[in-house]
Amino acid sequence: MIHIKTREEIELMRESALIVSKTLGMLAAEVKPGVTTLYLDKLAEEFIRAEGAEPGFLGLYDFPNTLCMSPNAQVVHGIPNNEPLKEGDIISIDCGALKNGFYGDHAYTFAVGKITDDVQRLLDITRASLYVGIEQFRVNNRVGDVGYAIQKFTEDAGYGVVRELVGHGLGRIMHEEPEMPNYGRRGRGKKFVEGMVVAIEPMTNMGTKNIKQLKDGWTILTADGKPSAHFEHDVAIINGAPEILSTFDYVHEVLGIKTDEEAPYKKTAH
Ligand code: MG
Ligand code: MG
């Protein structure tokens, strides 16, 4: 069943989401060549606890760490390790926080030093596709409308949309109903109603949409070894329209990226 949230619950969820946003902002300043993903994981755990929250992923389904760290051809669910990041890598960082009984869950793919124009385009298109999907998350639309919009935008750009992993409802449980695929057909699936909160999270491959899994039981990577990107926001329906509870503002401030892409979906926009 879908758990509809009250306004008060949505405010608590905003608090959890913003702890993740700030954690990603802190990490934005630390992602550089020579740094290990395990070091970044430790920083994130300390930061989240200092904010009075618990790491949302640590121990969830027995995941061993605070962050999912997925470099280059890894799509999602990579496990932090002692291998240093290299100039030209990309690193998808997915982070969760639990506070007041509610989860925040969002993700950003970072460039490590200078990356190629091809890979930068993959990041730009994937991040843009997130907002194309968010735009469709409104009362009377359906799950398939979000998926269709993301899929069309992504495939028109020449990229592969991962099928096996999807966004999800979010609340007191990390993965609630409904599932939110990044592909689909318009007008199909569950209808959106006031008070729904979901994580929308396109996972986009530069090449084939197909994936494989490492023997560690976690790491998902592209079948052709080409890079993959992942961006995720937590979004509520308030007054019929999408409102983003998380924000990339902290990350973009560090990276010097100026964009108004979140503006139509901020609390102040309603
Ligand atoms: Mg996530
Ligand atoms: Mg998620």
Side-chain angles (χ1 to χ4, degrees):
M1 69 175 275
I2 293 173
H3 297 281
I4 303 304
K5 278 78 182 178
T6 64
R7 287 294 181 94
E8 292 73 19
E9 288 173 327
I10 288 172
E11 288 314 307
L12 292 176
M13 293 196 68
R14 190 192 309 278
E15 200 178 322
S16 302
L18 288 177
I19 289 171
V20 180
S21 303
K22 289 176 194 167
T23 307
L24 292 174
M26 177 277 293
L27 292 169
E30 302 289 338
V31 169
K32 55 191 112 167
V35 163
T36 72
T37 50
L38 201 54
Y39 170 73
L40 298 173
D41 186 76
K42 289 282 164 278
L43 288 183
E45 179 173 356
E46 287 167 16
F47 188 92
I48 290 167
R49 292 194 192 284
E51 292 279 326
E54 298 287 319
F57 297 164
L58 185 65
L60 186 72
Y61 315 118
D62 292 329
F63 188 75
N65 290 86
T66 292
L67 300 175
C68 292
M69 293 291 241
S70 310
N72 303 322
Q74 294 188 10
V75 180
V76 287
H77 300 168
I79 298 174
N81 62 28
N82 274 318
E83 202 168 315
L85 295 171
K86 303 184 307 293
E87 179 89 18
D89 283 349
I90 55 171
I91 178 76
S92 296
I93 303 183
D94 196 350
C95 181
L98 177 64
K99 189 171 184 184
N100 300 313
F102 287 97
Y103 283 100
D105 170 26
H106 74 126
Y108 195 95
T109 300
F110 296 87
V112 182
K114 179 96 183 91
I115 61 174
T116 65
D117 291 347
D118 277 4
V119 177
Q120 184 62 54
R121 179 174 179 268
L122 174 70
L123 302 193
D124 293 344
I125 292 286
T126 309
R127 201 178 88 223
S129 79
L130 173 56
Y131 298 98
V132 167
I134 288 169
E135 172 63 24
Q136 297 298 319
F137 182 56
R138 51 184 71 243
V139 163
N140 290 330
N141 273 6
R142 291 176 183 270
V143 165
D145 295 309
V146 171
Y148 173 83
I150 293 173
Q151 180 181 11
K152 174 141 191 3
F153 185 84
T154 304
E155 290 180 350
D156 283 355
Y159 297 140
V161 174
V162 173
R163 300 297 199 275
E164 292 85 348
L165 298 137
V166 297
H168 49 92
L170 184 72
R172 292 186 183 278
I173 301 169
M174 173 66 79
H175 298 113
E176 297 187 351
E177 287 184 46
E179 288 197 340
M180 296 287 294
N182 298 303
Y183 61 94
R185 295 168 69 180
R186 278 186 281 195
R188 299 295 180 92
K190 293 248 165 59
K191 198 185 249 190
F192 300 135
V193 297
E194 183 76 13
M196 278 180 76
V197 182
V198 299
I200 299 178
E201 48 179 315
M203 289 156 258
T204 304
N205 297 348
M206 185 177 274
T208 177
K209 67 182 189 305
N210 297 325
I211 56 161
K212 54 188 181 180
Q213 188 169 32
L214 287 187
K215 287 203 178 68
D216 64 17
W218 281 107
T219 311
I220 304 289
L221 62 169
T222 59
D224 60 7
K226 291 184 179 172
S228 183
H230 179 213
F231 289 83
E232 177 177 25
H233 269 316
D234 302 338
V235 194
I237 296 183
I238 297 176
N239 296 331
E243 187 172 303
I244 304 179
L245 304 180
S246 47
T247 179
F248 293 144
D249 285 355
Y250 299 100
V251 169
H252 287 168
E253 195 178 317
V254 172
L255 300 182
I257 294 173
K258 293 206 188 324
T259 168
D260 57 1
E261 63 200 2
E262 288 178 16
Y265 312 110
K266 288 219 188 259
K267 190 178 188 181
T268 48
H270 294 161

